[in-house]
Amino acid sequence: MNVTYPFSAVVGLDDLKLALVLNAVSPRVGGVLVRGEKGTAKSTIVRALAAQLPQVAVVAGCRFACDPDAPDPGCPDGPHEPDAQRTQRSAALVELPVGASEDRLVGSLDLERALVEGVKAFEPGLLAAAHRGVLYVDEVNLLHDHLVDLLLDAAALGTCYVERESVSVRHAARFLLVGTMNPEEGELRPQLLDRFGLTVEVRASRDPDDRAEVVRRRLAFDADPAGFAARWTEDEAALADRIATARALLPGVRLPDARLRQIATVCAGFEVDGLRADLVTANAAIAHAAWQGRDVVTTEDVRAAARLSLPHRRRRDPFDAPGLDESLLEDLLERTSQDDDPPSPPDDDPSGGPSGSPDEPGTPPPGQPSEAGPGEASGPGASAPSSGADSGPQTEQVEPSGQGGGAEQVAAAAEPYRVPVLKVPGLGEGASGRRSRARTPHGRTTGSRLPEGRAASVHLMGTLLAAAPYQRERGRTGPGLLIREGDLREAVREGREGNLVLFVVDASGSMAARKRMTVVKTAVLSLLLDAYQRRDKIGLVTFRGSAAQVALPPTSSVEAGAARLRSLPTGGRTPLAEGLARAADVLRVERLRDPARRPLLVLVTDGRATAGGDVDRAAALLRGVTSVVVDCETGPVRLGLAVRLAGLMGAEAVALDALSDLGALVRDHRSEGRAYRKAV
């Protein structure tokens, strides 16, 4: 028997526990997005919560988990009779894998059965299986955007609509949506972040005692799962009872006009877009009041709700990290607070909240350190770092690094600007994105082909055309076609892919660091923002002194990329060959990791090499990769070294003055003869 790690046994994670419990009390809250580093028990606590949800009554045999007391009138398996047989089962925990298809998520007509067997069969998807349960999406930031859109639309509407391939189905899909993500692996778009009701930032505790307790409990669970779970039975039962009690109390909780105005003032004060934040905060405050056993919402409920519902909505720019200014929150609450808040009733639960955590998020239980256990919430209220680039080209002197060439300088970037669309020529087969043309599982249909194995998506017209010439010899006598398995054709679709844009930047003293590096940093920041929107990867290799380094490994993380770029120092000699060789190494490794993702190389240099190895040999390593060389040589006398280097690489050479319109240059770089091929 598979034993789940007890919810009550998880050390710390106070804010996350509260966010999950509020959603368990009221599905109207809209789900939880858990952001944090790897190994912080994000998945463990989500699976543990599902085991604590009350059992649900369902109509026997209904694939869509209809409630027998209030069956869905539009249920595809209905209509259900008032006296339909019922059964009890645990709330479902459905996990959505990153590689799931659209058909697997929403369901579809089984075209293969329809053509071969003549049966019109609708296969429900994961949204139907998650109805009245928990839908858990691990690494939600790696999920394809179109799947995230479908997922969040269903979560917001409580209904799944399937309109495709002659199928028109609607069924209820109300579930507790929980997504987890590691920000280092890329961010969700702000529009998608906004669709999650609450968000919690988690990180591992730095307290040795807390970490030791986590390891102690985990080792005990691994050694004897059933015995360990048995020791937490009473705490788990108390938690389940409290959730059930709060659910029963929820319809009677009143939201006074004073508290509603307080919520509106807080949301307006943080300048969040739209009104979803107000609705989520109101629902979360009502759920928090029910969890506390109150029948009226107080300022404390509004505070707890705002700390969980606003951090991911205050972002004004993709470079901003989620966070909340606690002092501003307190000021807004104080400004609108009333003296008629009813006093909070004493809490009869000796644990003070779920699993011994405090009733209010972020407050440690008596006698325990302020930092919780592994995966502790760092606090959505933590102040966010300053966002945006510096407004002008400034430099800062730093100590020499021993690479030669005198003191280093750090040039500031200007505000990023909108760039034209970058495109790699040809037709790729990389991961779905929004940039270059590619064959993808989703997009417009351009033809059909014989499938390799089971057809991923049956092409109806192609199948019919393949079967039509053989109807007489197959003995067809009546209407309709006789279809054989060999007639099946799958659709070939064309969409857009994401690419790897690798910048190789000369950061030596010869680059006149203040002027040129400001332009370069601004352009890379702009393209990083564009890549974030188009689901690309961006990498940065720099060379100076006597070596080259990967300043930014290929990533989709906007925050990490912006931070690395802004702190990039300049100065020293010019090891051009080392920079080219390091770029070739990066592309080689990335090709092994993701062979279908096509690269675009952007080399920013004046072509001079004052240190290092053979430039011609290093340039040959990159021949065949779609590349652009930005010539940074200035002055009345020019040696043309960058232009010569571009010829060795088979790249296009452009002037530094055109760097601000670099996207247009790459867009116009359409030579099919330079299409990507293995060259490293």
Side-chain angles (χ1 to χ4, degrees):
M1 179 180 178
N2 187 22
V3 179
T4 303
Y5 192 91
F7 187 92
S8 308
V10 177
V11 179
L13 292 171
D14 297 337
D15 282 354
L16 178 53
K17 289 177 179 177
L18 181 61
L20 291 171
V21 165
L22 293 183
N23 275 273
V25 171
S26 174
R28 291 179 178 271
V29 172
V32 184
L33 176 64
V34 188
R35 299 165 45 90
E37 57 195 17
K38 54 186 176 295
T40 49
K42 301 187 296 291
S43 301
T44 298
I45 195 169
V46 172
R47 295 186 177 101
L49 175 70
Q52 300 309 309
L53 297 179
Q55 287 198 330
V56 295
V58 298
V59 175
C62 178
R63 297 174 297 168
F64 301 88
C66 276
D67 184 350
D69 296 325
D72 179 11
C75 175
D77 284 355
H80 300 297
E81 298 297 329
D83 58 347
Q85 185 179 0
R86 64 174 62 201
T87 183
Q88 293 283 128
R89 66 167 175 81
S90 300
L93 171 63
V94 176
E95 299 190 33
L96 176 63
V98 171
S101 65
E102 184 175 343
D103 289 348
R104 186 74 185 97
L105 179 64
V106 301
S108 68
L109 175 69
D110 190 335
L111 275 178
E112 187 168 339
R113 287 189 62 195
L115 292 173
V116 176
E117 302 176 22
V119 177
K120 185 176 181 179
F122 174 72
E123 291 294 331
L126 294 177
L127 293 180
H131 181 45
R132 305 175 68 196
V134 178
L135 182 61
Y136 173 50
V137 188
D138 195 13
E139 306 294 352
V140 65
N141 52 324
L142 303 182
L143 201 64
H144 290 309
D145 284 352
H146 72 283
L147 293 183
V148 178
D149 290 334
L150 290 171
L151 179 66
L152 295 178
D153 281 343
L157 298 174
T159 304
C160 175
Y161 293 92
V162 185
E163 299 285 347
R164 54 190 305 178
E165 288 134 359
S166 77
V167 174
S168 180
V169 174
R170 183 210 65 84
H171 64 81
R174 291 183 295 275
F175 46 81
L176 194 169
L177 175 62
V178 182
T180 62
M181 60 175 284
N182 183 352
E184 295 178 357
E185 297 174 344
E187 282 285 354
L188 280 172
R189 302 198 314 268
Q191 297 91 330
L192 300 182
L193 276 173
D194 183 57
R195 300 297 292 272
F196 281 93
L198 310 179
T199 188
V200 177
E201 196 89 16
V202 297
R203 63 181 175 85
S205 173
R206 300 299 182 257
D207 188 308
D209 292 336
D210 290 340
R211 298 173 75 98
E213 180 61 21
V214 172
V215 174
R216 186 179 299 113
R217 293 186 185 183
R218 188 70 214 191
L219 290 176
F221 176 78
D222 292 341
D224 182 12
F228 182 85
R231 294 199 294 272
W232 294 89
T233 302
E234 292 186 5
D235 294 320
E236 295 288 89
L239 173 63
D241 289 344
R242 188 173 177 185
I243 291 175
T245 301
R247 281 186 169 185
L249 181 61
L250 185 69
V253 176
R254 183 171 59 89
L255 177 64
D257 287 343
R259 299 289 76 75
L260 181 56
R261 183 172 182 82
Q262 193 173 47
I263 291 171
T265 301
V266 169
C267 293
F270 279 100
E271 299 181 349
V272 297
D273 295 328
L275 293 174
R276 184 174 285 114
D278 304 62
L279 293 170
V280 170
T281 305
N283 283 319
I286 293 171
H288 189 269
W291 174 246
Q292 296 295 327
R294 291 190 285 264
D295 59 1
V296 63
V297 175
T298 69
T299 297
E300 293 306 312
D301 301 318
V302 175
R303 177 184 291 107
R307 293 185 71 252
L308 297 172
S309 64
L310 298 183
H312 58 305
R313 294 186 167 90
R314 59 151 293 278
R315 293 166 54 128
R316 310 307 302 169
D317 186 279
F319 292 146
D320 296 343
L324 200 67
D325 187 340
E326 287 278 5
S327 60
L328 176 58
L329 175 60
E330 292 301 324
D331 180 62
L332 293 170
L333 291 173
E334 180 66 25
R335 196 183 308 168
T336 56
S337 64
Q338 303 293 329
D339 295 330
D340 58 351
D341 276 348
S344 301
D347 190 356
D348 295 332
D349 185 353
S351 67
S355 310
S357 64
D359 289 326
E360 296 305 323
T363 306
Q368 290 194 18
S370 59
E371 285 196 317
E376 163 197 290
S378 60
S383 297
S386 175
S387 63
D390 294 331
S391 58
Q394 302 175 359
T395 60
E396 178 183 354
Q397 294 282 351
V398 297
E399 293 297 324
S401 64
Q403 291 186 343
E408 300 173 351
Q409 290 183 329
V410 177
E415 289 292 334
Y417 48 81
R418 184 180 181 86
V419 297
V421 180
L422 293 149
K423 293 181 181 178
V424 176
L427 188 65
E429 295 184 352
S432 295
R434 299 186 174 186
R435 189 170 300 282
S436 304
R437 293 175 56 216
R439 292 188 181 93
T440 61
H442 309 281
R444 65 185 183 90
T445 302
T446 60
S448 63
R449 64 185 176 190
L450 275 169
E452 297 180 2
R454 182 180 173 85
S457 177
V458 175
H459 189 279
L460 181 59
M461 187 56 65
T463 300
L464 296 178
L465 290 176
Y470 306 102
Q471 296 306 297
R472 180 175 295 178
E473 63 186 70
R474 291 177 183 176
R476 191 194 74 168
T477 57
L481 296 178
L482 295 178
I483 306 293
R484 300 290 183 264
E485 187 173 356
D487 300 329
L488 293 176
R489 298 292 185 271
E490 67 178 2
V492 176
R493 292 191 171 98
E494 182 178 313
R496 296 287 173 178
E497 68 175 359
N499 298 115
L500 168 61
V501 183
L502 180 64
F503 283 86
V504 184
V505 180
D506 183 350
S508 65
S510 66
M511 288 287 290
R514 174 168 180 162
K515 175 184 176 183
R516 296 179 185 173
M517 289 309 296
T518 294
V519 176
V520 169
K521 285 187 176 183
T522 303
V524 177
L525 277 173
S526 302
L527 286 166
L528 184 62
L529 175 60
D530 184 64
Y532 165 76
Q533 296 169 339
R534 299 184 185 280
R535 314 306 288 175
D536 288 318
K537 282 187 175 180
I538 287 285
L540 176 63
V541 173
T542 63
F543 53 95
R544 52 182 292 274
S546 59
Q549 64 175 351
V550 181
L552 175 65
T555 181
S556 300
S557 175
V558 175
E559 287 85 352
R564 298 281 182 87
L565 189 67
R566 290 191 178 107
S567 62
L568 176 66
T570 58
R573 292 172 292 179
T574 313
L576 177 57
E578 280 69 17
L580 299 177
R582 180 57 63 90
D585 288 341
V586 170
L587 294 180
R588 177 177 55 80
V589 172
E590 284 301 306
R591 184 171 295 115
L592 294 175
R593 291 177 176 171
D594 191 355
R597 189 180 292 269
R598 298 186 294 165
L600 170 67
L601 180 73
V602 180
L603 174 61
V604 184
T605 181
D606 56 10
R608 298 178 182 177
T610 60
D614 187 343
V615 174
D616 291 4
R617 179 178 297 179
L621 297 174
L622 295 168
R623 190 170 185 86
V625 177
T626 303
S627 305
V628 173
V629 176
V630 180
D631 184 2
C632 295
E633 192 175 28
T634 58
V637 179
R638 305 191 180 190
L639 302 178
L641 298 177
V643 175
R644 176 181 177 275
L645 179 61
L648 293 173
M649 296 172 55
E652 186 78 14
V654 299
L656 175 64
D657 296 340
L659 188 61
S660 61
D661 196 23
L662 183 60
L665 293 171
V666 181
R667 178 192 59 196
D668 295 336
H669 183 64
R670 301 183 182 279
S671 173
E672 294 295 335
R674 298 190 181 100
Y676 167 67
R677 63 180 181 270
K678 293 185 177 179
V680 181

